[in-house]
Amino acid sequence: MAVVYTLLVLFLAVFVAGFILLVMGAINFDFSNSEIPPGVNQPVKLRIIHIILISRAVVGKILENIGICSQVSFVRYIQGRKTLGVDPKLFIKDLWFEKVPVRIYQPKVPSASQRRGVMFFHGGGWVFGSLETHEKLCRSIARESESVVVSVGYRLAPEHKYPAAYEDCLNATIHFMKNIERYGVDPANVIVCGDSAGGNLAAAVSQTLAGGSDLPKLRAQILIYPGLQAVDFNLPSYQQNHRVPLLFRERAAFYVLQYLNGNATNLEEVLEGSHIPIDMKLNYRKWVSPDNIPKKFKVRGYKPHVLLDCTTEVYETVKRLCEPNLCPLLAEDAVIQQLPESFILTCEYDVLRDDGLLYKKRLEDNGVRVTWYHLEDGFHGIIGLYDYCGFTFPAGKRGLDSIVNFLKSL
């Protein structure tokens, strides 16, 4: 019995040691392949958070390889374990809008008039994120702007491919607007808001509702470092920030393909730009082009990318990337002209920076009022990290304050 016990202990020790070595090896690989520029806000804190996120992903991959659970399921499980408890200033309730789960945040302080309403769509690459991951952010927006905030728990990829997330966000917004009197919200003061992939969804929902006549017009859209196109992954911001946490260039393309097709097939073609025919790319250059980006955003380095053609087979697989409901930057001018007042937040050290800059130009060129806030020391995901695991990011708080101030101005 003692021999069996000893062997069991040795086996567990070897297993744990091997597990730790695997994790550390993967972390070291990712660590050596990442880059934090000197201008990034709080670089040491960002590095620590990046290591935490890498560790989570690596453990998930190991569990997947030994058949316990998928990596995606493990990461989602860990993300969903955050609990904040009762908020003394908010009524918080989980509801269903049709078949879509939502969490509604209503200020307890009495209001002499109807409040503004904010439909919030979380980020996470359409693959991750939930009502829980953005709970703290939604509470802050509701408290500080004294708005009713509705966070939408839309379906995630790869299980639910495009257009599932878009349809859930659209349907939840329509349901809210049709039943708005229940929540004490002014029908003329409804805003759609989202970060990253959620910013993509907010832009798509805003475009869809812009042409409708049976519902009140949206008051505004708030797009926080949104991903708005999948035509060109070689824009200046993609080249400059391709290895900057928390979103690498390759992962940005990976996530959009997961949303589109439920897999990352044709990732290399998308990254190099050989996924869309040249004639179509030339047509889109009036909207998606480095020429439309101010020169000051190219000083950190930019090399013009050679246009590559694609095969019919590849294009057939990814052609829905050209649909505005997935890539709002590709919407026609007739749609853009009808959009509501807009707020766009971008970060200097973010691969998605130029998506925001290009959309800002399109909106302004079409007569839409735009408030733009740029975090010179910011990185992708910073708004949700202004208070993460005890770490504070002043730039994230500045960004959140700018969003709240914009809401208060409406």
Side-chain angles (χ1 to χ4, degrees):
M1 190 67 180
V3 174
V4 173
Y5 178 77
T6 301
L7 289 173
L8 180 60
V9 170
L10 285 172
F11 172 78
L12 288 174
V14 170
F15 177 81
V16 170
F19 185 83
I20 292 172
L21 286 172
L22 279 171
V23 172
M24 294 305 295
I27 290 174
N28 184 61
F29 176 80
D30 245 69
F31 189 88
S32 62
N33 279 278
S34 65
E35 174 190 347
I36 298 183
V40 166
N41 175 270
Q42 304 286 315
V44 175
K45 294 178 183 178
L46 174 57
R47 182 69 78 186
I48 293 171
I49 289 175
H50 188 213
I51 290 173
I52 292 172
L53 297 180
I54 294 170
S55 303
R56 180 189 298 173
V58 171
V59 172
K61 193 62 179 178
I62 293 172
L63 294 176
E64 180 176 277
N65 289 339
I66 61 179
I68 293 179
C69 66
S70 71
Q71 181 188 43
V72 169
S73 298
F74 175 76
V75 173
R76 288 178 186 166
Y77 171 75
I78 296 298
Q79 287 181 338
R81 289 178 59 82
K82 300 175 183 177
T83 53
L84 296 179
V86 175
D87 191 303
K89 295 184 178 181
L90 297 172
F91 294 112
I92 303 174
K93 189 174 183 180
D94 288 348
L95 301 170
W96 288 84
F97 284 1
E98 303 298 337
K99 297 181 180 180
V100 184
V102 302
R103 182 167 295 163
I104 187 165
Y105 305 82
Q106 295 175 285
K108 290 181 178 179
V109 60
S111 176
S113 59
Q114 292 177 310
R115 299 186 187 277
R116 70 183 67 83
V118 180
M119 296 296 301
F120 184 87
F121 313 134
H122 67 76
W126 302 280
V127 175
F128 300 108
S130 64
L131 300 177
E132 283 71 31
T133 59
H134 287 64
E135 170 93 357
K136 186 175 291 186
L137 179 57
C138 287
R139 288 189 182 198
S140 294
I141 293 173
R143 278 196 310 264
E144 296 180 29
S145 71
E146 295 189 356
S147 303
V148 174
V149 175
V150 179
S151 182
V152 180
Y154 58 85
R155 288 171 292 171
L156 299 175
E159 303 95 319
H160 304 285
K161 296 180 286 187
Y162 169 78
Y166 157 75
E167 290 176 341
D168 284 356
C169 292
L170 176 63
N171 291 335
T173 303
I174 291 173
H175 178 92
F176 181 66
M177 297 177 81
K178 286 183 175 179
N179 298 275
I180 206 160
E181 70 281 351
R182 299 180 185 177
Y183 309 105
V185 170
D186 180 356
N189 203 358
V190 176
I191 301 98
V192 290
C193 173
D195 68 312
S196 193
N200 167 283
L201 295 166
V205 167
S206 185
Q207 289 182 3
T208 301
L209 295 178
S213 58
D214 57 334
L215 290 170
K217 298 292 186 183
L218 290 173
R219 178 64 182 85
Q221 60 175 346
I222 297 175
L223 312 179
I224 306 167
Y225 32 75
L228 300 170
Q229 60 86 30
V231 173
D232 190 350
F233 284 88
N234 292 282
L235 293 168
S237 62
Y238 276 105
Q239 293 188 19
Q240 296 164 4
N241 304 312
H242 68 286
R243 296 191 302 162
V244 178
L246 296 166
L247 182 64
F248 291 1
R249 171 175 172 265
E250 182 177 325
R251 297 307 289 180
F254 172 86
Y255 285 135
V256 77
L257 286 171
Q258 288 288 326
Y259 180 38
L260 176 67
N261 290 325
N263 59 62
T265 304
N266 304 123
L267 176 63
E268 290 305 316
E269 289 86 351
V270 169
L271 286 169
E272 70 181 12
S274 62
H275 61 303
I276 294 175
I278 284 182
D279 60 332
M280 293 184 66
K281 278 188 280 192
L282 289 174
N283 181 52
Y284 291 140
R285 282 184 78 86
K286 61 182 179 286
W287 302 327
V288 185
S289 169
D291 296 338
N292 294 342
I293 296 168
K295 290 182 180 179
K296 69 177 183 177
F297 292 104
K298 302 173 188 176
V299 296
R300 289 199 291 120
Y302 169 65
K303 182 179 179 181
H305 189 67
V306 177
L307 286 179
L308 300 174
D309 209 346
C310 75
T311 65
T312 301
E313 181 184 7
V314 171
Y315 175 64
E316 284 299 316
T317 303
V318 301
K319 63 182 180 182
R320 297 191 78 185
L321 287 177
C322 298
E323 295 182 10
N325 287 341
L326 198 155
C327 294
L329 189 55
L330 306 184
E332 295 294 333
D333 285 345
V335 174
I336 301 294
Q337 290 165 5
Q338 300 181 70
L339 291 174
E341 182 176 351
S342 304
F343 176 97
I344 298 177
L345 184 142
T346 54
C347 293
E348 178 60 29
Y349 302 103
D350 178 9
V351 291
L352 300 184
R353 180 197 69 198
D354 292 350
D355 284 26
L357 295 178
L358 292 171
Y359 204 50
K360 171 181 177 287
K361 176 173 170 46
R362 286 215 62 199
L363 290 166
E364 291 174 337
D365 287 349
N366 282 276
V368 178
R369 183 179 177 183
V370 178
T371 298
W372 173 53
Y373 194 86
H374 185 64
L375 291 172
E376 294 283 356
D377 52 355
F379 53 87
H380 190 81
I382 195 171
I383 300 301
L385 295 174
Y386 71 90
D387 183 17
Y388 179 85
C389 295
F391 295 110
T392 57
F393 288 85
K397 187 60 170 67
R398 292 201 313 272
L400 178 59
D401 289 343
S402 72
I403 294 166
V404 170
N405 290 336
F406 175 75
L407 282 168
K408 287 180 175 181
S409 73
L410 299 175

